[in-house]
Amino acid sequence: MIEYKIASVDSIIVYFADHISRDNVDLVQSNYIHIKNLKHEGLIDIIPSYTSILFHYDLRIFDFKSIVAFLQEHIALDRRMDKEEGRLIEIPIYYDESVGFDLAHVAKEANLSIQEVIAIHSSCEYLVYSIGFLPGFAYLGEVDKRIATPRLTSPRSKIPRGSLGIADNQSAIYPVQSPGGWNIVGRTYQDMFDKKIDGFSYLNVGDRVKFLPIDKDEFLKNGGVI
């Protein structure tokens, strides 16, 4: 059952479900994309999560009662996103222990070789669930359960920009240097957040991502840093 709750004086959060599942994520994203595409002038920002969407609205156009009425009119529980609707984006990754500090740890935990971990991780197609933690930091699911690995017990104080990580059944790329506790398995030269990118974030909710393994020469040739 959908719940509409006040988040602040000019925002409302809509809960679609009380647990994370692919179906619930799909429901949230399909409604997020539908309402975003309405481009209503009274909606200042729309932020989806796994089970909810936060709407920041213009107080000159909406109050709480009218924003609820508007959302009730446009939200649908039977709306489902076309699986091919999101963009398919390929991101080059240099998988190597020189930049993938935790490749050996992930392989050991999975009882696999490093090459098997790379093959499994790069064979999946990932869905962008949400953007958060840092600007351009996209939460990608789902990592194959064979290599799903818990966060590090002791986070690092500095994770280099472009580092690709695994935390449980999610994967993500650090858009800037940051502290972090994800298991780092590789690095990309692709900018994930930049003013030159339309919307600043290279990935958007609903996009689909494939990681393409590249060698050291290609990584360095395109601006990668070890």
Side-chain angles (χ1 to χ4, degrees):
M1 179 177 177
I2 294 179
E3 291 185 272
Y4 300 86
K5 293 188 175 181
I6 295 175
S8 72
V9 66
D10 59 354
S11 62
I12 179 173
I13 188 164
V14 181
Y15 291 98
F16 291 79
D18 60 3
H19 64 280
I20 299 173
S21 71
R22 187 62 182 258
D23 283 345
N24 288 334
V25 169
D26 182 50
L27 175 62
V28 168
Q29 292 194 356
S30 59
N31 279 282
Y32 160 72
I33 291 172
H34 174 74
I35 295 174
K36 182 181 179 183
N37 287 341
L38 295 176
K39 299 181 179 178
H40 193 289
E41 61 179 350
L43 296 175
I44 297 172
D45 201 8
I46 308 173
I47 305 172
S49 184
Y50 295 97
T51 60
S52 64
I53 305 177
L54 177 69
F55 295 92
H56 181 201
Y57 54 88
D58 190 335
L59 287 171
R60 296 171 299 179
I61 297 175
F62 287 120
D63 58 19
F64 183 73
K65 185 176 180 180
S66 61
I67 189 67
V68 169
F70 172 81
L71 294 174
Q72 287 177 328
E73 178 183 351
H74 293 286
I75 285 175
L77 285 174
D78 59 353
R79 179 172 289 128
R80 286 291 185 271
M81 186 171 62
D82 183 340
K83 298 299 182 187
E84 301 302 322
E85 187 172 351
R87 301 176 301 166
L88 176 59
I89 297 177
E90 296 180 333
I91 299 179
I93 297 292
Y94 179 42
Y95 290 95
D96 187 81
E97 288 184 90
S98 62
V99 292
F101 314 127
D102 302 304
L103 263 175
H105 170 68
V106 172
K108 182 179 179 181
E109 290 292 306
N111 196 27
L112 296 169
S113 69
I114 287 177
Q115 288 307 313
E116 287 173 322
V117 169
I118 296 170
I120 292 170
H121 191 264
S122 60
S123 68
C124 299
E125 184 176 294
Y126 300 87
L127 180 67
V128 179
Y129 282 156
S130 64
I131 307 290
F133 174 54
L134 295 167
F137 188 98
Y139 290 88
L140 308 172
E142 295 174 354
V143 171
D144 188 295
K145 61 183 180 182
R146 289 173 291 175
I147 59 171
T149 308
R151 293 168 182 264
L152 301 174
T153 54
S154 298
R156 294 184 172 90
S157 59
K158 292 182 181 178
I159 302 293
R161 178 176 67 88
S163 293
L164 171 64
I166 292 174
D168 298 314
N169 64 343
Q170 297 184 86
S171 203
I173 295 173
Y174 286 80
V176 295
Q177 179 176 287
S178 158
W182 293 48
N183 299 277
I184 305 304
V185 297
R187 193 178 298 173
T188 183
Y189 57 78
Q190 173 64 52
D191 287 329
M192 304 306 296
F193 183 80
D194 193 283
K195 292 180 180 178
K196 298 176 183 175
I197 301 173
D198 184 25
F200 302 155
S201 178
Y202 187 60
L203 298 177
N204 295 305
V205 170
D207 286 343
R208 296 169 293 131
V209 175
K210 279 279 291 180
F211 296 118
L212 301 181
I214 58 174
D215 60 24
K216 184 177 180 180
D217 288 344
E218 183 174 351
F219 178 68
L220 295 176
K221 183 178 66 179
N222 287 282
V225 176
I226 296 176

